[in-house]
Amino acid sequence: MRYVDEFRDPEKARYLVKDIQRLAALIPATANRPLQLMEFCGGHTHTIFKYGIEQMLPPSVELVHGPGCPVCVLPMGRVDDCVTIAECPEVIFTTFGDAMRVPGSRKSLLQAKATGADVRMVYSPLDALAIARDNPDREVVFFGLGFETTMPATALTILAAERQRVANFSVFCNHITTLPTIKAILDSSDMELDGFLGPGHVSMVIGTHPYHFIAGHYHKPVVIAGFEPLDILQSLWMLLKQLVERRCAVENQYARVVPEEGNIQALEAIQQVFEIREYFEWRGLGSIDHSGVGIRNRFAAFDAERRFTIPNLSIADPKACQCGEVLKGVIKPWECKVFGMACTPETPLGSLMVSSEGACAAYFNYGKMPGEVPATAEEVS
């Protein structure tokens, strides 16, 4: 299949792995500690585990799995707010499927559905708008969730609802932003990162320019990466090449999809409908300034937070859950005390075990424990 098979070529993988090993040996820092390279996007984490890319790398290169899965960073209190809205008898609550099983303090949306709430999975906010048109006597709420990747679809749906005068449609907005979160990670005393794999899908919307502060102010190289195994390997090679040459730049490996200026129409829709919140709470990371968006006053009629009374409480994760440490890259998924035992994809304690892009779920499905036989380049094909 074109644009897939050529990015899973074992021969090219062998060449890249060999040159990654050569470059890593040229970096003086690796004599004292492994290089810490963070992939921010959950899609990258999934590819890394699925294709055994970590096991292909030399010991001097360590991948740190960042918080780039929007379902995984959803705080427990916001899940409780969803359940509160969903349990209103007049409400049809619509959501993407991967959010249905995220645990709240009382129950998940899937459990709320099992006890009588009208919770429906949709593939697009436009599906939710169609449900609202078909059910004018019900309040239809769409759970707006995700980074800049999914913001445009939510914004355009709100604009369509206004244009079509669909008065029984609203959005419970939990969209979050990438750049303030990266800044918070770089400012954290817990982290000592040497470079970033930039998120491909987010960059398709926002472009490459917003990342320049990482290279300019923090002096960390960035490579925006695609999602196939050779995309990841080439992007790691590009990061190491910058480190060997003592450069800090923003490079775009995913140029076949990501334009430098981003998607202008998508950015205009985001700007028209949303405004930056003063702060937003992230699971495991706490409150991060300017890291979420809310719906502008002009579109208040479509804002579920204004139409419904919700608890809006900050609730701590279960004490046994170490999602916060995994999200910050402080520990690996398998180092969590409950990983694979009390916490599995079937019985998740934390959100990282729910989403397919969560580091714990990806590692549970594809990961190799320390000491197991490493993957080979042939496994990429």
Side-chain angles (χ1 to χ4, degrees):
M1 184 185 297
R2 195 176 180 196
Y3 301 125
V4 174
D5 291 345
E6 59 263 56
F7 291 96
R8 299 180 183 178
D9 186 324
E11 187 61 36
K12 291 185 176 70
R14 278 192 292 271
Y15 176 84
L16 283 166
V17 168
K18 184 177 180 180
D19 216 47
I20 284 170
Q21 293 170 340
R22 179 187 68 83
L23 289 172
L26 298 175
I27 300 171
T30 59
N32 302 315
R33 64 172 181 84
L35 290 173
Q36 303 272 320
L37 305 177
M38 175 177 278
E39 86 280 356
F40 184 86
C41 179
H44 290 155
T45 303
H46 184 86
T47 298
I48 287 164
F49 285 138
K50 181 177 180 180
Y51 292 98
I53 289 173
E54 275 192 317
Q55 285 75 37
M56 298 180 191
L57 301 178
S60 57
V61 178
E62 183 176 337
L63 297 181
V64 179
H65 314 303
C69 165
V71 170
C72 301
V73 297
L74 186 68
M76 194 171 283
R78 298 296 278 186
V79 178
D80 287 353
D81 294 342
C82 289
V83 171
T84 296
I85 296 171
E87 289 181 334
C88 294
E90 74 276 14
V91 167
I92 299 173
F93 195 89
T94 62
T95 178
F96 297 136
D98 57 354
M100 291 187 71
R101 296 177 59 244
V102 179
S105 66
R106 295 190 297 120
K107 61 181 76 170
S108 65
L109 282 168
L110 190 62
Q111 290 168 325
K113 178 180 175 68
T115 55
D118 193 345
V119 179
R120 305 186 190 183
M121 187 184 78
V122 294
Y123 293 98
S124 160
L126 288 172
D127 293 343
L129 185 60
I131 292 171
R133 285 196 304 268
D134 293 341
N135 296 270
D137 58 332
R138 303 283 299 279
E139 289 288 332
V140 177
V141 179
F142 174 69
F143 185 16
L145 180 66
F147 288 96
E148 291 90 344
T149 312
T150 54
M151 278 186 206
T154 304
L156 290 167
T157 301
I158 289 174
L159 291 171
E162 181 188 51
R163 189 170 57 251
Q164 298 169 17
R165 299 182 181 179
V166 184
N168 63 321
F169 173 79
S170 62
V171 172
F172 182 45
C173 184
N174 288 264
H175 286 293
I176 48 182
T177 55
T178 304
L179 300 177
T181 314
I182 293 178
K183 183 179 184 301
I185 290 169
L186 286 166
D187 288 337
S188 171
S189 59
D190 294 337
M191 305 299 297
E192 190 174 357
L193 298 174
D194 298 290
F196 277 92
L197 293 184
H201 292 150
V202 165
S203 303
M204 179 178 64
V205 175
I206 69 173
T208 63
H209 298 301
Y211 300 103
H212 283 286
F213 79 96
I214 302 173
H217 180 72
Y218 291 96
H219 309 294
K220 308 292 184 185
V222 179
V223 176
I224 296 164
F227 294 90
E228 291 298 326
L230 291 191
D231 286 324
I232 302 293
L233 287 172
Q234 184 185 17
S235 299
L236 292 170
W237 177 85
M238 291 168 70
L239 276 178
L240 292 174
K241 196 165 187 296
Q242 285 198 51
L243 291 168
V244 167
E245 296 171 356
R246 299 188 178 182
R247 294 187 296 114
C248 291
V250 178
E251 296 180 337
N252 184 9
Q253 184 274 340
Y254 204 29
R256 67 185 186 274
V257 171
V258 175
E260 286 189 17
E261 69 280 4
N263 186 320
I264 301 301
Q265 288 179 307
L267 290 170
E268 287 175 349
I270 290 171
Q271 179 65 26
Q272 185 176 354
V273 173
F274 297 121
E275 61 185 4
I276 298 294
R277 295 179 188 259
E278 184 178 351
Y279 60 88
F280 196 77
E281 184 184 354
W282 292 55
R283 194 173 211 147
L285 301 177
S287 292
I288 300 176
D289 291 346
H290 310 125
S291 64
V293 299
I295 297 172
R296 291 187 182 274
N297 287 334
R298 177 191 157 184
F299 301 100
F302 302 102
D303 188 350
E305 286 192 74
R306 308 188 204 203
R307 292 175 72 155
F308 297 91
T309 301
I310 56 176
N312 196 22
L313 298 175
S314 179
I315 298 172
D317 284 339
K319 289 183 178 180
C321 177
Q322 294 181 274
C323 278
E325 290 95 323
V326 177
L327 281 167
K328 289 186 288 188
V330 175
I331 65 171
K332 297 292 186 183
W334 55 268
E335 293 176 310
C336 174
K337 297 187 291 288
V338 293
F339 174 81
M341 294 179 287
C343 186
T344 70
E346 293 299 318
T347 58
L349 280 180
S351 54
L352 285 173
M353 193 60 90
V354 175
S355 170
S356 61
E357 291 189 355
C360 293
Y363 205 94
F364 186 91
N365 290 321
Y366 303 115
K368 289 183 170 64
M369 298 295 286
E372 291 186 339
V373 177
T376 65
E378 281 77 6
E379 292 179 14
V380 171
S381 60

